[in-house]
Structure formats: C-alpha cells, structure tokens
C-alpha cells in the first residue's frame, strides 16, 4: 500500500483467503484500511471459505491470542467504519477470487504484473486446477511462505503457517512452475526476528508524515498503530512485499522444492529439497530467500513511516 501511495507500483486488486482471517472478514478489513488510507479503486475479491480447514487452530492457546488480535485489528486500529449497506454489499458479493486471478492472467498487462501472495495458496491452486498455465502469463510470483532450514511457526514446530494451512495447495502450486519466476520469502528471511524489539521501539519514536488529505491517515501512521500492538506489522509479510520495492535487500538461491502433505510423524507441510534436474512429482523450482540485509530493511521501514 505504501508503494501504491508513492506511485512506485500500481496495486490493481486484492484477493482474500482462509488463513488468519476468514475471507469475508479479510475483505471487510481491507476495505476499511483502504478507506482510512484514502486509497480508491482497488478491487477486493473474496476467496471461497470452504469447509474451514483452520477450525482446529482456534483451540490452541497461542492461536487464541493471535487470532483475537488479528480478527479485531480493524477495530483496535480505529479504521474508518463501513455502513451496514457497504458491509452487506461486500458480504453479498460472490466468492470470485479464483475467477479474478484467471481473468487477471489473461489481461493485456499480465506480463508486467507481479502476483504477491501473503497467505495460503488455496486460491492459486484452485485457479491452476482450471488453467495450469495461469502463472506463466504473469511477470513473476512473490510470496511469503515456506521454510527449508528455519524452524517452523506452527503447532507441529517444523512448518510455516501459510503452507501449513493448505499444503495440498502448495503441492499443486509447485507442480505448475515451469516457465514461472517465483521468489519465495520463507522463514529463513521473513520471521519475527528480522526487526529486533529495540529497533521496533525506535520506529515507534519516529514522526510520521501526515496524509495529504487531513481526513485520511498516512501509511506511516497506520504502520505505527499496528506496530504498537504486534511486531507482525514489520515482520513476515512485509519482508516479501518489500521485494517489489527494494530489490537490493534480498538474496535468493535457486532450488527445487517439494512439500509433505500427509500427517504421518507430524511432518505435515514440511518442505524438502531435491536435485535441480529431479523429476520428483509435486516439486518445483523457485528462488528461495537466503539472506536479508536487515540494516537496509530497517531503513526502508523508516522511510515508510517518515514518508
């Protein structure tokens, strides 16, 4: 959103998926965020809520606190509220995220469009089941997800959250990457330690630049509001999104990866590496993030806040 406001990128649309939030809740939150930041014209398309693969996480102690924070983020951030009619319009809109992705891949500008994925790959996988060449028509895919050597952040301790939510979708994704450039920011570089607590406190002390329209809030101000509540405001997903704006901070290594999809030995969604020329089913070649220039990333966050 910062890049869009600065004219560095042109954000065309967003899709929501069952992950930390149900798709409808995510769509409502996005709409409130856009309105608060004074961003107009961004399409929001809901993913299919499905049968709720996430249901069992709500009972975990660690998820209960995180889930409560995330579910109520639009309220504790005091984002602009939607009228009942506006909420109903979003709720009544079809779950068309998959169709939106397919249509976007066939647009005239698809080859200049980057696909940024910051949640489970459910929508992507369902689109690929309809059109296996969909990803080839985009410029690149940039995502936050997975881990090869880093510790996991899920109940089984070995997997990354987004991939753990829907490992079958990841397998479908990896199986359809021939001719696709994928930049995967996994837990090796996108994790809770990428910005120390001391640096987070320094960021909070910075003076954010006011929005041009006094009725709106600047992205920097919104970032600080989020950062007061959760370190996720500057870790995990933002590391992947930053690749679209600053391509000198990340280092990637080309690898062929696969993912375990069964629950045997509690290894569900654990990733594995095979030889580059291997023909193992369900594997794909990606550029896996291996290093992040943390001082440069911190300076980038300073820039986001100060404008």
């Amino acid at each position: 959103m910062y890049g869009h406001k600065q004219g560095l990128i042109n954000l065309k649309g967003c899709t929501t998926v069952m992950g930390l939030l149900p798709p409808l809740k995510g769509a409502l939150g996005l709409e409130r965020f856009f309105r608060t930041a004074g961003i107009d014209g961004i399409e929001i398309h809901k993913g299919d809520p499905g049968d709720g693969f996430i249901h069992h996480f709500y009972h975990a102690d660690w998820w209960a606190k995180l889930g409560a924070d995330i579910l109520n983020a639009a309220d504790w951030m005091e984002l602009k509220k939607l009228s009942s009619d506006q909420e109903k319009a979003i709720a009544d809109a079809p779950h068309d995220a998959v169709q939106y992705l397919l249509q976007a891949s066939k647009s005239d500008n698809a080859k200049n469009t980057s696909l940024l994925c910051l949640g489970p790959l459910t929508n992507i996988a369902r689109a690929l089941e309809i059109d296996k060449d969909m990803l080839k028509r985009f410029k690149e895919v940039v995502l936050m997800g997975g881990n090869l050597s880093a510790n996991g952040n899920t109940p089984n301790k070995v997997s990354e959250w987004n991939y753990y939510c829907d490992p079958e979708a990841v397998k479908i994704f990896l199986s359809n990457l021939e001719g696709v450039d994928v930049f995967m920011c996994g837990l090796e570089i996108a994790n809770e330690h990428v910005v120390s607590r001391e640096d987070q406190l320094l960021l909070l002390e910075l003076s954010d630049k006011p929005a041009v329209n006094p009725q709106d809030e600047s992205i920097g101000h919104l970032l600080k509001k989020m950062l007061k509540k959760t370190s996720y405001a500057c870790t995990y997903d933002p590391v992947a999104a930053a690749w679209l704006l600053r391509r000198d901070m990340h280092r990637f290594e080309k690898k062929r990866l696969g993912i375990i999809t069964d629950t045997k030995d509690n290894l569900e969604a654990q990733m594995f590496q095979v030889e580059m020329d291997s023909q193992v089913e369900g594997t794909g070649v990606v550029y896996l993030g291996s290093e992040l220039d943390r001082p440069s990333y911190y300076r980038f966050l300073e820039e986001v806040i100060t404008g």
Side-chain angles (χ1 to χ4, degrees):
M1 295 181 189
Y2 166 77
H4 181 79
K5 290 283 284 188
Q6 295 291 318
L8 302 174
I9 59 173
N10 182 16
L11 180 60
K12 299 295 291 184
C14 298
T15 62
T16 62
V17 65
M18 189 70 176
L20 286 177
L21 291 175
L24 173 57
K25 190 79 173 182
L28 292 169
L30 271 174
E31 182 64 27
R32 291 180 64 181
F33 199 104
F34 287 145
R35 288 173 181 265
T36 302
I39 298 176
D40 300 316
I42 307 299
E43 298 183 42
I44 301 174
H45 298 266
K46 296 177 299 185
D48 190 333
D51 57 3
F53 56 78
I54 201 173
H55 70 278
H56 56 286
F57 297 131
Y58 285 105
H59 302 290
D61 290 340
W62 65 274
W63 166 249
K65 181 179 185 306
L66 173 63
D69 285 350
I70 298 299
L71 282 169
N72 299 318
D75 292 326
W76 55 252
M77 286 185 67
E78 299 179 331
L79 301 181
K80 290 181 180 178
K81 294 184 180 297
L82 303 177
S83 69
S84 57
D85 287 343
Q86 290 169 334
E87 289 189 352
K88 186 177 186 303
I90 294 173
D92 291 345
H95 296 93
D96 63 346
V98 172
Q99 288 303 316
Y100 175 71
L101 289 170
L102 291 169
Q103 292 170 8
S105 75
K106 296 175 182 178
S107 69
D108 293 339
N109 199 40
K111 208 57 185 174
N112 297 316
T113 300
S114 299
L115 192 60
L116 176 63
C117 306
L118 302 177
L121 299 180
T122 308
N123 294 332
I124 302 293
R126 290 182 177 177
L128 286 169
E129 289 177 326
I130 298 172
D131 181 354
K132 62 182 178 61
D133 294 325
M134 179 195 72
L135 294 178
K136 296 179 182 179
R137 294 191 286 271
F138 288 107
K139 173 184 176 182
E140 63 189 357
V141 180
V142 181
L143 56 84
M144 192 279 124
N147 62 311
L148 186 61
S149 59
N151 294 330
N153 61 348
T154 55
N156 69 358
K157 308 298 184 183
V158 300
S159 308
E160 182 276 326
W161 170 262
N162 285 339
Y163 285 11
Y164 186 68
C165 284
D166 195 349
E168 290 288 351
V170 179
K171 185 174 182 179
I172 294 171
F173 172 77
L174 292 172
S175 301
N176 290 277
L177 295 185
E178 185 177 353
V180 183
D181 287 335
V182 176
F183 298 91
M184 183 181 295
C185 298
L187 294 180
E188 286 76 15
I189 64 171
N191 55 63
E192 62 182 323
H193 305 297
V194 70
V195 180
S196 68
R197 185 53 188 164
E198 291 76 11
D199 282 345
Q200 291 174 33
L201 293 174
L202 290 175
L203 290 172
L204 288 173
E205 293 178 1
L206 295 174
S207 297
D208 50 272
K209 184 178 180 180
V212 174
N213 186 339
Q215 294 182 337
D216 300 331
E217 295 185 39
S218 68
I219 299 297
H221 184 65
L222 290 169
L223 174 58
K224 287 175 62 176
K225 288 171 72 172
M226 292 179 65
L227 192 53
K228 288 179 181 178
K229 187 78 170 180
T230 173
S231 64
Y232 284 23
C234 63
T235 58
Y236 295 103
D237 292 355
V239 173
W243 165 247
L244 296 176
L245 305 176
R246 296 287 189 277
R247 302 215 169 193
D248 58 342
M249 297 187 297
H250 305 62
R251 297 291 180 272
F252 294 89
E253 295 180 358
K254 196 173 185 179
K255 299 180 181 293
R256 178 176 287 275
L257 303 179
I259 190 168
I260 296 173
T261 56
D262 61 50
T263 58
K264 184 180 179 181
D265 299 323
N266 204 31
L267 296 179
E268 186 177 10
Q270 183 176 26
M271 303 207 73
F272 60 87
Q273 181 178 358
V274 296
E275 296 296 326
M276 286 292 293
D277 58 355
S278 171
Q279 299 300 313
V280 176
E281 182 181 358
T283 64
V285 176
V286 305
Y287 294 96
L288 179 67
S290 59
E291 184 180 352
L292 178 72
D293 185 339
R294 295 188 179 187
S296 294
Y297 180 64
Y298 176 80
R299 290 191 295 271
F300 168 71
L301 293 172
E302 285 185 318
E303 178 185 313
V304 172
I305 291 175
T306 61

